[in-house]
Amino acid sequence: MLDRTTTDTHRLLIDGRRITAGSGRSFETLNPATGEVLAHVAEADAGDVDAAVRSSRAALNGEWGHMRAADRGALLLRLAELIRSNSDELTRIESLDSGKPVSAIRRQDLPAVIDTLTYYAGMADKINGQVIPARTDALTYTIREPLGVVGAIVPWNFPLMIGMWKIAPALACGCTVVLKPAEITPLSALMIGELALEAGIPAGVLNVVPGFGQVAGQAIVDHPDVDKVTFTGSPRVGHQILQGAAGNFKRVTLELGGKSANIIFPDADIDSAVKAAGSGIFFNTGQVCSAGSRILVHESIHDEVVERLAARAAGMRIGDPLESGTNMGPIVSEAQMNRILDYIDIGRKEGAHIVTGGNRIGDRGYYVEPTVFAGVRHEMRISQEEIFGPVAAVIPFADEEDAIRIANGTAYSLAAGVWTNDVTRAHRFTRELRAGTVWVNTYGPTDIRLPWGGVRDSGFGREHGEAAIDNFTEPKVVWINTGR
């Protein structure tokens, strides 16, 4: 296996072989902690995507498509074991490529990857149809068949975890996958592809084609032999994918942006609420679709919450993501860092007050201070637009009606949090909040057994749990005439 810390060119993985891009082109992936070149990666274009799709189609029509479901599940379990035994290397690769602290990867990302594989391995032979007694003169039933070749386009904020959210259920259902990792975090996906081959998953079942969205990603969307596109990323790209997929009626699942509201009432446990609000916006440097970037606080406790939140932000340990004690690493890229700094300037100009943070840290790597804005009005851009960085906007509210108005007053509806000891209020708010997930007296946990997704500009469709089985299978009706 290629040493991932070298600057050698990392080739595409197509049909079980590592190959150079047809164009011969490659691109650099950088270490966000230093800004230095980490590796060179082959740059897939439409021709490479076509080769990957043809390989995946052949695997679907061949050994993989004729394999027993239980045997597919056993291979997924073997892959989970290989990931566990290679977890140190995967953790290091993911940290170097994305800037994520190793402590966070060990605590969340890798366990979630293994849990996802184990869960869907167990589900592979339990994907059932139904006998439906439609007529007395016929045996009528349904079976669920693999949807086909899946194009999976994965973001850079959780490359390993979100990648596996797509790979594991698709393979459990008997589909094949052409995976395009984000161009700024491609390395862990290539290693997963190699481990899949080592686990015994046949060549072509999982092809990995690093490249740029406007070329490789668009080629996946446009390819007539791709049956399904599953995408996690920005609303802008989601709109483009939806428009492109309409050309040949591809199935599409989209998990897009968020501007989630975390609502704190005066009867809540303030210590727990502030601690969770801090992790809800500063975890993974705020580069989380469901980050609690809007912290709505009742005006009677507003100043206290702001003071405590600012103290937590100022006390965070920021630094080398390879050090186990680091709480927050760098932003993933220079472009994303500049976008965050631009939004901080926008917040200042709009009249919001920076209580702590607001600056770049040093000039090596892409570090931004965890930032807390107070005096934020609901109409401000920092309240309405997704920043995708460690920037908290604290917004006061007067009463429940005001809180609902503010919480539901954006284009995004991915997640929300409510902090209260009033159980009737908690039930009332879970009904009234527009969000795919509502956390009560906690913020941020997810589980592969529970459906995940949003509405409005946060996308449509659901991943995880049994919902993912619907994403990657299609029902077929069988009608057998019994003659009586």
Side-chain angles (χ1 to χ4, degrees):
M1 203 171 284
L2 187 63
D3 180 2
R4 304 293 173 163
T5 63
T6 72
T7 56
D8 294 337
T9 297
H10 297 250
R11 294 172 293 172
L12 313 176
L13 181 60
I14 297 176
D15 203 32
R17 297 179 296 116
R18 296 300 290 270
I19 62 173
T20 58
S23 67
R25 294 171 61 89
S26 64
F27 61 92
E28 297 175 343
T29 181
L30 306 182
N31 180 345
T34 64
E36 298 170 348
V37 175
L38 178 63
H40 294 86
V41 182
E43 181 183 332
D45 61 14
D48 300 307
V49 168
D50 179 61
V53 172
R54 285 188 284 108
S55 167
S56 286
R57 180 60 64 184
L60 187 70
N61 293 334
E63 179 184 1
W64 187 250
H66 293 91
M67 186 178 292
R68 290 193 321 144
D71 293 336
R72 289 200 307 269
L75 292 177
L76 293 182
L77 283 177
R78 193 177 303 168
L79 176 56
E81 287 305 313
L82 284 171
I83 288 172
R84 184 178 284 109
S85 62
N86 287 272
S87 61
D88 288 345
E89 185 181 359
L90 271 169
T91 296
R92 180 175 172 80
I93 289 169
E94 192 82 333
S95 181
L96 287 169
D97 209 15
S98 69
K100 298 168 72 73
V102 292
S103 57
I105 298 170
R106 291 178 181 134
R107 184 178 67 251
Q108 174 168 334
D109 300 50
L110 256 298
V113 165
I114 293 168
D115 187 37
T116 299
L117 271 169
T118 303
Y119 175 80
Y120 284 109
M123 192 173 280
D125 61 355
K126 301 172 185 65
I127 300 171
N128 302 315
Q130 292 178 288
V131 175
I132 303 171
R135 294 268 293 264
T136 58
D137 62 351
L139 171 62
T140 50
Y141 61 94
T142 65
I143 56 177
R144 299 203 70 91
E145 296 183 331
L147 193 55
V149 176
V150 174
I153 303 175
V154 177
W156 45 255
N157 58 333
F158 291 92
L160 268 173
M161 187 174 74
I162 295 179
M164 196 54 67
W165 286 356
K166 300 177 187 304
I167 294 167
L171 298 193
C173 291
C175 296
T176 55
V177 174
V178 176
L179 177 69
K180 195 205 85 64
E183 62 271 14
I184 54 178
T185 54
L187 299 184
S188 60
L190 288 166
M191 184 172 174
I192 291 294
E194 291 178 343
L195 291 175
L197 292 170
E198 188 178 338
I201 293 173
V205 172
L206 175 59
N207 292 304
V208 185
V209 286
F212 293 89
Q214 62 268 34
V215 178
Q218 192 64 50
I220 289 172
V221 173
D222 292 340
H223 201 289
D225 210 22
V226 171
D227 301 292
K228 160 90 180 189
V229 173
T230 173
F231 170 77
T232 300
S234 73
R236 177 184 60 82
V237 176
H239 282 291
Q240 294 172 353
I241 288 173
L242 194 58
Q243 291 167 358
N248 52 12
F249 300 106
K250 279 183 178 58
R251 309 295 176 84
V252 177
T253 300
L254 301 174
E255 198 267 87
L256 307 176
K259 195 68 181 176
S260 298
N262 198 2
I263 307 162
I264 305 175
F265 284 94
D267 66 328
D269 179 336
I270 303 301
D271 286 337
S272 297
V274 171
K275 181 179 179 180
S279 61
I281 183 57
F282 300 133
F283 173 69
N284 203 39
T285 60
Q287 298 170 132
V288 182
C289 291
S290 58
S293 53
R294 295 185 300 148
I295 302 172
L296 279 55
V297 183
H298 189 270
E299 55 193 15
S300 66
I301 56 169
H302 174 270
D303 293 350
E304 178 186 1
V305 168
V306 167
E307 181 180 351
R308 292 194 189 191
L309 184 63
R312 292 194 67 84
M316 294 191 71
R317 184 173 176 180
I318 304 163
D320 185 349
L322 294 177
E323 293 183 2
S324 60
T326 296
N327 300 133
M328 199 174 91
I331 304 302
V332 74
S333 69
E334 184 177 17
Q336 181 63 17
M337 176 189 70
N338 289 334
R339 169 186 166 87
I340 294 164
L341 294 173
D342 286 345
Y343 267 108
I344 291 172
D345 285 342
I346 288 168
R348 287 191 182 102
K349 292 173 182 176
E350 288 181 318
H353 170 58
I354 293 181
V355 183
T356 189
N359 301 299
R360 180 181 182 179
I361 302 172
D363 57 6
R364 184 173 186 266
Y366 313 129
Y367 292 89
V368 174
E369 293 175 329
T371 301
V372 177
F373 273 105
V376 178
R377 298 189 307 278
H378 172 55
E379 298 78 14
M380 290 180 175
R381 288 181 63 187
I382 60 169
S383 173
Q384 291 291 321
E385 299 174 15
E386 186 176 40
I387 299 172
F388 223 62
V391 181
V394 183
I395 307 169
F397 67 87
D399 52 29
E400 288 188 19
E401 183 179 357
D402 194 30
I404 287 292
R405 176 187 66 83
I406 296 170
N408 288 343
T410 77
Y412 300 101
S413 298
L414 183 56
V418 179
W419 293 84
T420 179
N421 284 322
D422 184 336
V423 67
T424 58
R425 174 187 284 149
H427 282 295
R428 192 162 56 243
F429 262 65
T430 57
R431 287 197 309 269
E432 295 182 10
L433 285 168
R434 293 198 65 182
T437 294
V438 180
W439 293 291
V440 178
N441 294 332
T442 187
Y443 196 91
T446 59
D447 193 286
I448 196 63
R449 294 151 192 82
L450 298 171
W452 177 256
V455 295
R456 295 195 287 183
D457 282 10
S458 290
F460 60 81
R462 292 294 182 270
E463 297 184 295
H464 299 182
E466 295 184 8
I469 303 303
D470 293 332
N471 287 342
F472 299 113
T473 60
E474 194 157 44
K476 175 185 283 185
V477 171
V478 179
W479 185 304
I480 301 176
N481 181 18
T482 62
R484 15 180 19 182

